[in-house]
Amino acid sequence: MRVERVLLKDYTTLGVGGPAELWTVETPEDLKKATEAPYRVLGNGSNLLVMDEGVEERVIRLSGVFAEWDLKGWVGAGALLPLLVQEAARQGLSGLEGLLGIPAQVGGAVKMNAGTRFGEMADALEAVEIFHEGRFQIYEPQELGFGYRKSRLPPGGIVTRVRLRLKERPQEEIRRRMAEVDAARKGQPKKKSAGCAFKNPPGQSAGRLIDQRGLKGLRVGDAMVSLEHGNFIVNLGGAKAQDILALVRAIQEELPLELEWEVWP
Ligand code: FAD
Ligand code: EPU
């Protein structure tokens, strides 16, 4: 186990966030120790807006045994989803194609029920192991209240590993589906972001609504509403969390949109 003071801007895809004590856990014993005081769990930091003042609680990051994976067995929650998607295609295993392009760890993808219109994390799960109140317990996906970009994990629960529900399919078929998902992402920016900032209201696209309001290009400091996709807020380089939050508020003054990101603290 490693415990170090870090700046969370180095651990989030938006590239903002202040100091924290990072606990990198590698074994079940580490995890037990790390959770003896108030904590938060960090995945790949791709759906987080961490404020400039940082966080008081321990920030736990899964590594070691928690990042090991076998597509036909247990998959550690610290494993990177993009690697799994590629390896599944290579092995001719179908079920993860819809998750192509989501830069999450498995645990973060479960917590957010990450997905696209081609499929979501919950669809690909057979079982989920969660650590809470000092022990590991296995859940069926139906027990975890999955919905659009949400789950209901037990309070303080840390996803530690999952079993996937994949079926053997011809590689060409899997690759064809991946190409379709890839094509649907073409309009998304490559600059630093945390994916879509807002949830889509039922039957609507937040990105289109923001676009129609003429808000693309709106800027606070180095935080800007992407010119490519209205639902992406990008960090042009030196954005502060405060700039990003101010931009979020400015958009919400114009449109009743619910934030998809989690804000720390
Ligand atoms: P983090 O951002 O680190 O954390 C998110 C939440 O999950 C936090 O509450 C955290 O505490 C919790 N968490 C993390 N790990 C665990 C764990 N092991 N146990 C319990 N809780 C945990 N999202 C989509 O749904 N669809 C998309 O198409 C999509 N495209 C994206 C494209 C880009 C370029 C980027 C930057 C982001 C995109 N996202 C998308 C958003 C993001 O990737 C997802 O929300 C993803 O699920 C976040 O996972 P993470 O591991 O980065 O979690
Ligand atoms: N559109 C505009 N202007 C814009 C953006 C979009 O007119 O600036 C239009 C598009 O032309 C399209 C429609 O709005 O006709 C929908 O846009 P898009 O296909 O980009 O889908 P989205 O609803 O904006 C959703 C998810 C993405 C996911 C894509 C692909 C949400 C909030 N967003 O985007 O997920 O990658 O579909 O399936 O559900 C995320 O959640 O972080 C995320 C990136």
Side-chain angles (χ1 to χ4, degrees):
M1 177 158 62
R2 247 189 0 266
V3 181
E4 57 199 321
R5 291 293 290 179
V6 301
L7 291 175
L8 288 172
K9 73 185 183 55
D10 297 328
Y11 294 84
T12 57
T13 56
L14 257 175
V16 302
E21 194 171 86
L22 184 69
W23 289 58
T24 303
V25 301
E26 293 170 346
T27 64
E29 295 68 40
D30 290 353
L31 189 59
K32 284 185 182 150
K33 185 147 179 28
T35 50
E36 280 166 2
Y39 60 87
R40 292 170 185 266
V41 196
L42 177 69
N44 203 34
S46 66
N47 198 52
L48 290 178
L49 171 57
V50 181
M51 299 313 293
D52 304 314
E53 72 261 32
V55 299
E56 297 273 311
E57 300 90 342
R58 297 171 172 183
V59 171
I60 296 177
R61 187 170 60 147
L62 299 175
S63 180
V65 296
F66 301 112
E68 289 171 4
W69 53 278
D70 165 8
L71 289 174
K72 291 182 173 165
W74 286 100
V75 173
L80 278 173
L81 189 59
L83 298 181
L84 267 52
V85 173
Q86 294 301 334
E87 179 59 19
R90 210 187 58 78
Q91 292 185 23
L93 295 171
S94 170
L96 298 179
E97 301 90 308
L99 305 174
L100 180 80
I102 302 178
Q105 283 186 1
V106 169
V110 171
K111 163 78 183 191
M112 299 306 304
N113 190 18
T116 63
R117 81 180 91 96
F118 303 90
E120 32 185 52
M121 191 67 219
D123 305 332
L125 294 171
E126 196 165 272
V128 180
E129 184 190 72
I130 296 176
F131 178 80
H132 67 119
E133 291 170 350
R135 59 202 185 95
F136 296 86
Q137 214 173 315
I138 293 170
Y139 292 82
E140 291 185 15
Q142 307 83 269
E143 296 177 277
L144 297 176
F146 287 116
Y148 168 59
R149 300 291 193 277
K150 68 168 187 208
S151 65
R152 253 192 340 266
L153 307 184
I158 301 178
V159 178
T160 45
R161 38 181 205 166
V162 305
R163 288 186 82 97
L164 297 172
R165 197 152 51 81
L166 305 175
K167 27 179 210 301
E168 292 192 7
R169 301 298 306 167
Q171 269 206 16
E172 314 78 74
E173 182 187 314
I174 297 173
R175 300 234 181 251
R176 210 176 320 118
R177 212 168 297 135
M178 282 165 71
E180 226 184 302
V181 182
D182 191 42
R185 307 190 74 100
K186 278 289 175 266
Q188 299 182 359
K190 299 277 179 285
K191 295 194 176 65
K192 282 187 198 169
S193 79
C196 285
F198 303 99
K199 293 191 180 189
N200 282 342
Q204 287 181 301
S205 157
R208 183 189 285 144
L209 293 171
I210 291 168
D211 191 0
Q212 287 170 343
R213 266 304 159 98
L215 299 174
K216 279 181 168 176
L218 189 66
R219 196 168 158 174
V220 178
D222 261 357
M224 188 176 83
V225 178
S226 167
L227 298 168
E228 290 147 276
H229 194 297
N231 202 3
F232 279 69
I233 290 179
V234 293
N235 177 357
L236 297 175
K240 295 280 167 207
Q242 277 305 339
D243 300 332
I244 294 172
L245 194 60
L247 194 52
V248 165
R249 301 281 183 254
I251 296 167
Q252 286 178 322
E253 270 172 30
E254 300 278 330
L255 295 161
L257 296 172
E258 186 194 339
L259 202 60
E260 179 175 314
W261 303 334
E262 190 169 306
V263 181
W264 286 7

